[in-house]
Amino acid sequence: MQRQKLEKFKCELTTREYSLIGQSITANFPSGFPDAALKVQKEFVERRNEIINFKDKEVLISPYMCNGIIATYFACLEVSDLTDIPEGMIGFTLPFQTYAKINCTNQSIGEAYDRIFKWMNEKGYVQRFLENTCPIEIFYFEDHVEEEDVEMLIPIRT
């Protein structure tokens, strides 16, 4: 079944909870990125079949935490529960949270960050930092395409 393409640079609010299983990497920021993110994503994609209770194996969910010096970046699948976590992986739940969301592609992530923060500023939304949540990048795998859809979620104060 073909998934509908996302409308590029569309900004909106969404509220979600995520239960995730995956792997992480920590590296210097900004000098270690995007190389560290690509490394953990590649390693995780090779192991994602070990997760048995996934919701969609073709959707890679990547929350991250960054303090401007170092960043921890995750590569995960959304799961129905956290009962079976493969060796060397981590399972956790990001509780219900309101996010500012923007659609982009893997080729336009930098521009999307500029646009979402501008939109948030115009709407009076303030980012929520490290309070039981974190920003998320969601990658939609597609075969034989140059640009894959990405959603970026920035937690906001409500």
Side-chain angles (χ1 to χ4, degrees), residues 103-114:
N103 304 326
C104 62
T105 70
N106 58 331
Q107 305 293 317
S108 61
I109 289 174
E111 182 179 353
Y113 272 111
D114 292 341

Side-chain angles (χ1 to χ4, degrees), residues 57-119:
K57 195 168 40 170
E58 301 304 314
V59 179
L60 180 72
I61 301 180
S62 292
Y64 61 91
M65 297 173 282
C66 181
N67 66 6
I69 301 168
I70 58 172
T72 299
Y73 192 90
F74 296 84
C76 304
L77 292 182
E78 186 173 14
V79 295
S80 56
D81 62 70
L82 298 172
T83 56
D84 189 13
I85 301 170
E87 182 74 29
M89 292 191 191
I90 186 172
F92 57 97
T93 297
L94 294 173
F96 277 98
Q97 167 67 43
T98 300
Y99 297 92
K101 179 179 96 165
I102 189 168
N103 304 326
C104 62
T105 70
N106 58 331
Q107 305 293 317
S108 61
I109 289 174
E111 182 179 353
Y113 272 111
D114 292 341
R115 287 178 180 237
I116 192 67
F117 285 114
K118 180 178 185 228
W119 181 81

Side-chain angles (χ1 to χ4, degrees), residues 1-6 56 59 140-142 148-149:
M1 180 171 90
Q2 180 116 11
R3 192 181 53 75
Q4 184 177 349
K5 297 294 283 179
L6 300 176
D56 187 339
V59 179
Y140 294 88
F141 294 130
E142 294 183 70
E148 295 177 332
D149 281 342

Side-chain angles (χ1 to χ4, degrees), residues 115-133:
R115 287 178 180 237
I116 192 67
F117 285 114
K118 180 178 185 228
W119 181 81
M120 287 170 54
N121 188 47
E122 289 170 356
K123 299 288 186 186
Y125 299 129
V126 177
Q127 184 175 358
R128 192 173 164 191
F129 285 99
L130 302 176
E131 300 169 31
N132 296 316
T133 193

